Amino acid sequence: MNNVEVFICGGGPAGLAAAIETRRRGFSVIVADCFKPPIDKACGEGLLPDALDALSALGIELTDRDSHLFHGIRFVEGMGSVEACFPHRSGRGVSRIVLHELLHKRAAELGVEFRWGTQVLGVHGQEVETSKGRIRAEWIVGADGIHSRIRRWSGLDAGRRTSRRIGLRQHFRLAPWDRFMEVHWCDLGQAYVTPVGPEEICVVVVARDRFSSVKAALDWFPQLSARLQGAEPLGAERGALTEGHLYRRVTNGKIALIGDASGSVDAIAGQGLALSLLEAQALGDALEVGDLQLYERRHKAIRRTPVFLSQAMLLMDRFALLRRWTQAAFRGSPRLFEAMLSVHIGAMPLKFWGSEAVLDLGIQILGQKA
Ligand SMILES: Cc1cc2nc3c(=O)[nH]c(=O)nc-3n(C[C@H](O)[C@H](O)[C@H](O)COP(=O)(O)OP(=O)(O)OC[C@H]3O[C@@H](n4cnc5c(N)ncnc54)[C@H](O)[C@@H]3O)c2cc1C
């Protein structure tokens, strides 16, 4: 039987980030995943500035060779739009495969061991049973995604689901038309458009109700449909569920959950990857001092604002009138949108934005109603 200090179930972004953070602190680390790299997944593929900072703390700097810069977010609905830039830094679009390759390479450089094509079948105390034998670990990390079995086996399933939607992703060969990540809104849901290269964009459509394909859903988004006219689809469409999940606890004994396994926010926030990376730092710090309670507390703090904002944005998804008022308010007072983005990427605390902006937003919305 193998012995290791940290065993990580799941070699997606959260598992690899946790591997890098713990290996950097001197732990021996094994990552096991059912699949072999590079692992793809349906994703909006947008990294906001806070995610880029966290990635650079792992020792990974994205460049124009592997990703594409965007300066802010544009909301588009019908024929109208409103946009705002991030304060100070930009975001980057990076294809999921490229991101996985970069994380995998960094973890391998540091000496992380991998068990690709290996399924984790059970946890018995400090022993992990895999499809290729047993491993004894001091710490066990569940980075096995939204349907985490580690979460179930370790008794951490208590919590609630706040949302469930379906996402379909398709890449297109098309030069990005400018330096914004776009969110196209309609009554069906949203289409997120992220530039991922000089000649490539990623489109993800997310909706509450089933839809057959990205192509069929484009009828709902006239501006985007016009942009994509004649663009060559690259590869096959890929689908995934996007869910909001809140769990009461993310640690039990010597087991910790990270990334989507520890709770998820709807894709609308574009924050899943940033959360995984920030949690990896917090987990590394906690394991270094041997105190998972520290991780439990930091995990709650990391999630607070993204959970609030994703729920607020889901209200805009559900209630068309609220969405139109909010977008009109942003158009009337662009600094409100900028402030929301600042909060979104952690550059401004929610409470600073809170009272002034909510009042301002209320006034703008009432102005719309009058
Ligand atoms: C439609 C959609 C759009 C999104 N858009 C964005 C976006 O634009 N920006 C953003 O930041 N986030 C986005 N997200 C969220 C982001 O994709 C997730 O938060 C992120 O993938 C979480 O990473 P993870 O490593 O926790 O989980 P996953 O990526 O799901 O990885 C889990 C890994 O665990 C492995 N595994 C599971 N069970 C076992 C087992 N028993 N044994 C071995 N291995 C196992 C799986 O094979 C998998 O590789 C989006 C999500 C969706 C669905």
Side-chain angles (χ1 to χ4, degrees):
M1 186 189 316
N2 282 298
N3 285 299
V4 72
E5 285 167 316
V6 180
F7 176 86
I8 300 175
C9 173
L16 290 178
I20 294 168
E21 287 290 357
T22 47
R23 182 72 198 115
R24 279 199 327 173
R25 289 165 173 82
F27 291 95
S28 58
V29 184
I30 293 180
V31 175
D33 198 294
C34 314
F35 293 106
K36 294 189 176 161
I39 300 175
D40 197 7
K41 185 181 169 178
C43 182
E45 305 186 342
L47 293 179
L48 305 189
D50 52 340
L52 292 181
D53 288 342
L55 210 52
S56 93
L58 295 180
I60 300 170
E61 298 292 345
L62 294 182
T63 67
D64 287 343
R65 278 197 313 277
D66 42 44
S67 58
H68 203 80
L69 208 66
F70 56 88
H71 298 312
I73 307 276
R74 174 180 295 131
F75 282 176
V76 183
E77 178 143 18
M79 296 319 282
S81 69
V82 56
E83 65 205 31
C85 288
F86 302 118
H88 319 306
R89 276 198 73 177
S90 299
R92 277 190 177 269
V94 55
S95 87
R96 191 63 185 226
I97 294 257
V98 171
L99 179 66
H100 196 266
E101 279 171 342
L102 292 169
L103 286 163
H104 179 208
K105 180 165 169 266
R106 178 74 180 132
E109 273 165 15
L110 291 168
V112 171
E113 281 184 54
F114 299 102
R115 302 284 188 273
W116 298 115
T118 303
Q119 191 178 4
V120 175
L121 301 170
V123 174
H124 315 282
Q126 298 306 115
E127 260 180 49
V128 182
E129 185 186 344
T130 79
S131 53
K132 296 190 181 153
R134 289 194 167 216
I135 297 171
R136 171 173 280 279
E138 193 178 328
W139 303 97
I140 296 166
V141 178
D144 47 346
I146 51 174
H147 303 297
S148 169
R149 295 175 81 191
I150 297 279
R151 187 177 62 229
R152 180 149 45 88
W153 294 329
S154 54
L156 292 169
D157 249 349
R160 65 191 166 93
R161 193 173 74 206
T162 54
S163 61
R164 170 178 273 184
R165 302 196 300 156
I166 304 151
L168 276 183
R169 183 202 72 189
Q170 175 70 66
H171 281 220
F172 291 90
R173 190 187 310 280
L174 186 66
W177 41 94
D178 66 13
R179 297 273 188 178
F180 280 86
M181 183 178 173
E182 290 189 343
V183 183
H184 292 248
W185 298 80
C186 72
D187 290 344
L188 174 77
Q190 297 80 43
Y192 310 107
V193 183
T194 313
V196 293
E199 294 292 330
E200 188 168 347
I201 59 163
C202 166
V203 175
V204 172
V205 177
V206 179
R208 263 173 282 132
D209 299 319
R210 280 187 182 281
F211 56 99
S212 56
S213 65
V214 170
K215 191 166 176 285
L218 284 178
D219 289 346
W220 287 82
F221 304 100
Q223 281 202 48
L224 180 58
S225 183
R227 291 275 190 199
L228 294 178
Q229 204 68 45
E232 179 196 349
L234 296 173
E237 285 190 4
R238 186 175 269 270
L241 279 177
T242 173
E243 301 186 342
H245 269 286
L246 296 170
Y247 295 100
R248 268 191 228 137
R249 294 187 57 79
V250 296
T251 63
N252 189 3
K254 294 205 146 191
I255 299 182
L257 305 175
I258 187 169
D260 281 3
S262 67
S264 45
V265 288
D266 185 278
I268 204 162
Q271 282 293 70
L273 294 167
L275 292 176
S276 298
L277 302 176
L278 293 170
E279 285 160 11
Q281 286 173 4
L283 182 63
D285 291 344
L287 291 192
E288 197 166 26
V289 295
D291 178 10
L292 279 184
Q293 288 314 307
L294 185 63
Y295 176 62
E296 188 78 56
R297 285 194 295 278
R298 277 185 58 191
H299 186 276
K300 276 201 174 58
I302 289 168
R303 295 236 157 196
R304 198 164 294 130
T305 301
V307 166
F308 173 82
L309 286 176
S310 65
Q311 289 180 348
M313 289 173 82
L314 282 174
L315 285 178
M316 286 170 61
D317 168 65
R318 198 166 272 275
F319 300 107
L321 212 51
L322 174 69
R323 182 168 76 238
R324 289 188 193 120
W325 286 342
T326 307
Q327 286 170 5
F330 283 164
R331 275 196 290 275
S333 179
R335 76 188 180 93
L336 267 180
F337 196 10
E338 278 163 25
M340 191 194 94
L341 284 190
S342 297
V343 171
H344 201 101
I345 61 167
M348 186 197 279
L350 184 58
K351 63 180 178 202
F352 285 0
W353 183 61
S355 44
E356 193 197 343
V358 169
L359 192 67
D360 206 350
L361 192 59
I363 291 167
Q364 294 285 337
I365 287 175
L366 286 174
Q368 293 298 313
K369 285 176 75 180

